[in-house]
Amino acid sequence: MTGHQHLAMDANAALRLSGKTAVMVLAVLVCVWLLNDKLADVRAEDVWAAMAAIPVAACILAFFFGLLSHLALAGYDLLALTRIGRRVPWPRALAGGFSGTVMSQVLGFGLITGSLARARIYRANGIAPTEAVALSGFVAAGFFLGLGMLLAILVLVDPSAAVAATGLAPGAVRSVALIGLLTVVAASLLTRGKPRTFEIGRMTIRVPDGRWLAMATVLAAADLLPAALCLAVMLPEHAIPSLAVFVSIYITGVALGHMIGSPGAAGPFEGIVFLALPAIAAEELAAGILVYRLLYYLPPFAMALWMIARAPRAPGVALLSGDALRNRVDWIMDQCPQAEAELAHLGDKHVYCPAEGEGFVFYGISGRVWLIIGEPVAPQRAWDDLIGGFEVEARAAGAVLAIYKANDGALAFWQGRGYRLQPLGQEAVIDLDNWSLEGSARRELRRKCRSAKKAGLSLSRHHPDAHPVAAMAGVAETWRSMKNGEQSFSMGHWQPGFNGRHMAVCAWHEDKLIAFATIWTSGDGTEWMLDLMRQLPEVPNGTMHALLVEAIEMAREAGARRFNLCMAPLSGLEEADPVTSLSLAGHRIFKDMNHRHGLQGMQRFKDIFRPEWLTRHIAVPNMLLLPEALLASYLLVHRRSVPGESASARTPWMRPADSGIMQEPMDPNETAETNEPVEGEAAKKRGERAA
């Protein structure tokens, strides 16, 4: 774009702003002129006297109603963020909603003032200025749509104010309100099943739907009803009409004032209130409005200014994104001893990878919790710097860190950084140097394998990208239907692009695929780890045992040192160190709810292989955060937190492996070039090593 084009755009923007300012000033002057007769005989000393006569209890009550209104007002950004596919920790979203909306209401010209406030509040969360403008636009849309729906409902309840203003019959007024409500509802229903997103630059905008509209209406009611009561308690009780009528008058004045961008809705608000409440003496009404404005606007305005001034900056560390990140992640994974690092490619994780670092951290987002799985994927000498930088990143974004499935061998590291630990369960690990089917310890496992072989079971081994995908998909879909869905996050789910990266063992019966297992391999080849186990109903006894024995033999032949059978949740809590009250509660669930979750069955299945049982923990900065971290882990594992709405912070979200694309961060320091191996080369290398 040329300099002349920039100048033309700036000139057009200035012209539009000047036009809006002129319209706002003209509207305020018209309101003053209309009120001239009512205010002609009002003296300043009478207004001051009326203000002094307002009871202190009424002022306290008004302040309380204003507080309730602004608590609801802070929720507008939580709603707006869902429309641009961005999610920030809820405390930061509430701060952004509060500060942005207060600034737009107090200063006027909401799209400008609100966007500037949001850009500052969210600057450490990777929200670009264009996204701040989009947020302000959605907040305004939600506010006016919710306000309109609320006003229509109030008119249906009591149309007397609308009747007096329009001269129409009550039935006609109610009909207009009902038609308006039904039109909006019908429009939201008609859009169901239609394309719900569109692109603007790098933003994906989601079209508001019926659920969004309902939530906007609830938020508007929670905001405007207490705000109206904040004014009502300032006025003589005997002269106030019914609650529905008074709230209708209030929100009409607010709507007109904000539509023209007037600071505090001044002008149209006073005009509507004075004209609609003739029974109240002018000096009492003026006094009530002045005290209302002082109590409702000034304290939140001061709080918003304080929040904006204290908004943290984004850390200055340059982070990798796009192809550079994917290449670096794959290069690091090709050298690491952690098979579980494969979860970074599952499609529901963010990756924190400094351009100058030696490793990365992958994590999921739920609420304000950033949940890391296991330890950093990096040489142990780099853990301190990597986690230290990530903690700074999380604090700047308003998030808290928790570590899910921390290993026994890393407990000293997490404790040294001040984290508190709570056991989650035990993980089964087989030492392949001492693996053998012989001996009394694995007698039952040998019997299971013989039973499967007698039933005519045959097994096949498959390297990455050489799977019978169609047959495996049929088994996976049948299994998913039986289980009513799949878990994820800390384990895989059926996704050909992701599963195709890994080794697989398939079980066949009369040329029909009846079961399969997929196995992750660490970059250095020392660890293999079980991922998916899928089977059709009524497979021969011992089928899954035979599959895993075959996978273990593959790992041993490839030179692996250990085979990880994954965690049995809540197992061994009664003997884990430390034994806490929460551990005892978890053990009780393990014993008493086995019929529902099959927890003991999972533990017994793995125990047949006679593994070593290692405790896995959840680590939090302080124990007060433990319930929130446990809830976050539950929501992420059970796929209740939508990955596509988790584009948050400066760290990119890695999309599923079969999409081939990645969510880009809004990071001006992003690095786009690297000389490291590309993903396909590294994946091929791991497959060759496993072979």
Side-chain angles (χ1 to χ4, degrees):
M1 187 176 291
T2 67
H4 291 296
Q5 289 174 315
H6 276 297
L7 288 174
M9 290 177 62
D10 291 343
N12 290 334
L15 186 62
R16 287 194 298 270
L17 181 60
S18 300
K20 291 179 180 179
T21 303
V23 170
M24 183 267 290
V25 172
L26 180 61
V28 172
L29 291 175
V30 168
C31 292
V32 171
W33 178 74
L34 291 173
L35 293 175
N36 185 56
D37 290 341
K38 286 185 172 292
L39 299 176
D41 298 328
V42 176
R43 298 180 303 172
E45 53 266 31
D46 294 334
V47 175
W48 288 116
M51 291 174 66
I54 296 175
V56 174
C59 294
I60 294 173
L61 191 57
F63 181 81
F64 172 74
F65 282 131
L67 179 63
L68 289 180
S69 172
H70 284 92
L71 285 175
L73 178 145
Y76 282 116
D77 274 31
L78 288 171
L79 191 59
L81 283 163
T82 65
R83 297 302 95 194
I84 64 170
R86 301 286 266 172
R87 182 180 295 170
V88 301
W90 60 263
R92 180 63 52 79
L94 292 178
F98 175 83
S99 302
T101 311
V102 166
M103 298 302 286
S104 65
Q105 288 187 352
V106 174
L107 300 179
F109 300 106
L111 196 60
I112 299 173
T113 55
S115 298
L116 290 173
R118 289 183 173 89
R120 173 99 177 186
I121 289 289
Y122 294 130
R123 62 184 177 176
N125 294 85
I127 301 293
T130 52
E131 291 177 306
V133 173
L135 278 177
S136 295
F138 273 113
V139 167
F143 173 76
F144 282 111
L145 278 172
L147 181 149
M149 296 286 283
L150 179 61
L151 183 59
I153 293 169
L154 291 170
V155 168
L156 287 174
V157 173
D158 189 340
S160 56
V163 169
T166 63
L168 297 174
V173 170
R174 282 194 168 103
S175 297
V176 171
L178 184 60
I179 289 171
L181 277 174
L182 293 177
T183 300
V184 174
V185 172
S188 66
L189 292 176
L190 288 174
T191 58
R192 295 183 67 180
K194 301 289 178 65
R196 309 208 60 77
T197 62
F198 59 93
E199 302 289 331
I200 298 181
R202 298 177 71 180
M203 281 190 297
T204 300
I205 303 296
R206 300 185 178 189
V207 178
D209 52 17
R211 181 172 177 269
W212 187 86
L213 178 63
M215 294 176 67
T217 304
V218 170
L219 265 180
D223 166 19
L224 293 167
L225 290 177
L229 292 174
C230 182
L231 174 61
V233 297
M234 298 286 103
L235 304 177
E237 185 178 352
H238 66 276
I240 295 179
S242 70
L243 179 62
V245 170
F246 183 82
V247 174
S248 299
I249 294 168
Y250 176 88
I251 63 178
T252 301
V254 167
L256 291 176
H258 288 316
M259 284 176 66
I260 66 168
S262 173
F269 179 78
E270 283 77 8
I272 293 294
V273 172
F274 270 94
L275 291 174
L277 299 174
I280 302 177
E283 61 274 9
E284 291 183 319
L285 193 51
I289 292 175
L290 285 173
V291 176
Y292 152 77
R293 287 195 176 280
L294 289 172
L295 293 174
Y296 186 79
Y297 286 111
L298 281 187
F301 183 59
M303 178 63 74
L305 288 174
W306 180 80
M307 287 182 172
I308 292 169
R310 289 176 56 86
R313 294 181 179 274
V317 177
L319 303 180
L320 292 178
S321 64
D323 289 339
L325 172 62
R326 193 177 290 279
N327 295 342
R328 174 71 68 82
V329 164
D330 218 59
W331 179 76
I332 293 169
M333 286 174 58
D334 194 49
Q335 306 171 67
C336 81
Q338 300 153 260
E340 199 169 37
E342 274 295 317
L343 285 168
H345 286 286
L346 186 57
D348 57 358
K349 310 288 191 304
H350 291 259
V351 174
Y352 171 81
C353 187
E356 302 300 324
E358 296 185 67
F360 65 89
V361 173
F362 60 94
Y363 66 101
I365 295 176
S366 181
R368 65 169 179 158
V369 175
W370 288 5
L371 194 67
I372 304 170
I373 294 185
E375 282 62 56
V377 185
Q380 196 158 355
R381 65 177 180 274
W383 285 10
D384 230 25
D385 288 342
L386 191 58
I387 292 299
F390 190 49
E391 289 171 339
V392 172
E393 192 79 35
R395 281 196 299 272
V400 294
L401 295 187
I403 295 82
Y404 183 67
K405 296 174 63 177
N407 284 297
D408 274 341
L411 298 190
F413 169 77
W414 295 117
Q415 289 170 335
R417 296 200 66 88
Y419 286 82
R420 306 291 298 276
L421 301 162
Q422 165 61 45
L424 288 173
Q426 291 183 317
E427 187 170 76
V429 178
I430 296 173
D431 180 2
L432 294 182
D433 289 338
N434 299 310
W435 163 258
S436 173
L437 272 177
E438 303 302 321
S440 59
R442 295 191 173 101
R443 182 186 300 114
E444 185 177 1
L445 182 57
R446 292 196 302 274
R447 182 179 59 79
K448 292 281 188 182
C449 292
R450 284 197 301 269
S451 177
K453 186 175 181 180
K454 287 179 181 179
L457 195 74
S458 62
L459 303 174
S460 60
R461 301 177 176 185
H462 302 275
H463 295 293
D465 296 324
H467 300 173
V469 177
M472 291 169 71
V475 173
E477 178 58 28
T478 301
W479 187 93
R480 189 197 65 79
S481 299
M482 291 190 302
K483 299 292 183 178
N484 295 317
E486 291 183 290
Q487 296 178 359
S488 192
F489 183 65
S490 62
M491 62 198 79
H493 60 267
W494 174 250
Q495 182 189 101
F498 175 71
N499 308 131
R501 294 172 52 89
H502 311 133
M503 307 295 291
V505 182
C506 293
W508 306 81
H509 188 262
E510 298 178 354
D511 297 327
K512 178 183 178 182
L513 182 67
I514 61 171
F516 69 87
T518 59
I519 303 97
W520 303 330
T521 59
S522 66
D524 66 358
T526 59
E527 182 180 55
W528 287 37
M529 187 172 187
L530 175 64
D531 181 23
L532 297 189
M533 293 178 63
R534 300 292 184 262
Q535 65 179 50
L536 296 177
E538 300 178 0
V539 297
N541 183 35
T543 296
M544 301 312 292
H545 299 83
L547 273 177
L548 287 190
V549 167
E550 187 73 8
I552 292 168
E553 290 293 345
M554 287 173 64
R556 187 180 60 80
E557 293 167 11
R561 304 294 302 277
R562 58 191 175 277
F563 193 98
N564 193 322
L565 293 172
C566 304
M567 191 171 73
L570 304 183
S571 63
L573 294 186
E574 75 282 5
E575 56 190 32
D577 184 24
V579 178
T580 64
S581 56
L582 191 59
S583 297
L584 296 176
H587 177 64
R588 176 61 61 185
I589 294 173
F590 180 79
K591 299 290 286 185
D592 295 348
M593 299 189 68
N594 182 60
H595 63 285
R596 183 173 180 180
H597 300 289
L599 298 172
Q600 293 181 48
M602 187 184 306
Q603 193 267 346
R604 282 197 298 268
F605 173 83
K606 296 178 181 182
D607 201 45
I608 289 177
F609 293 83
R610 296 300 179 260
E612 179 184 3
W613 289 98
L614 306 175
T615 304
R616 287 273 199 145
H617 302 76
I618 188 166
V620 290
N622 64 75
M623 295 306 285
L624 293 177
L625 291 173
L626 184 58
E628 198 172 351
L630 289 171
L631 177 61
S633 65
Y634 175 84
L635 294 175
L636 288 166
V637 168
H638 290 81
R639 308 178 79 177
R640 306 289 177 85
S641 186
V642 183
E645 293 182 357
S646 293
S648 175
R650 302 189 309 134
T651 53
W653 166 54
M654 291 185 67
R655 291 183 185 268
D658 49 359
S659 73
I661 54 177
M662 180 184 303
Q663 179 70 32
E664 296 286 347
M666 306 305 295
D667 178 16
N669 298 318
E670 66 182 9
T671 302
E673 296 182 359
T674 180
N675 295 318
E676 289 148 2
V678 298
E679 177 186 355
E681 294 172 353
K684 182 179 179 181
K685 197 176 194 180
R686 284 195 296 275
E688 290 173 349
R689 181 183 293 127

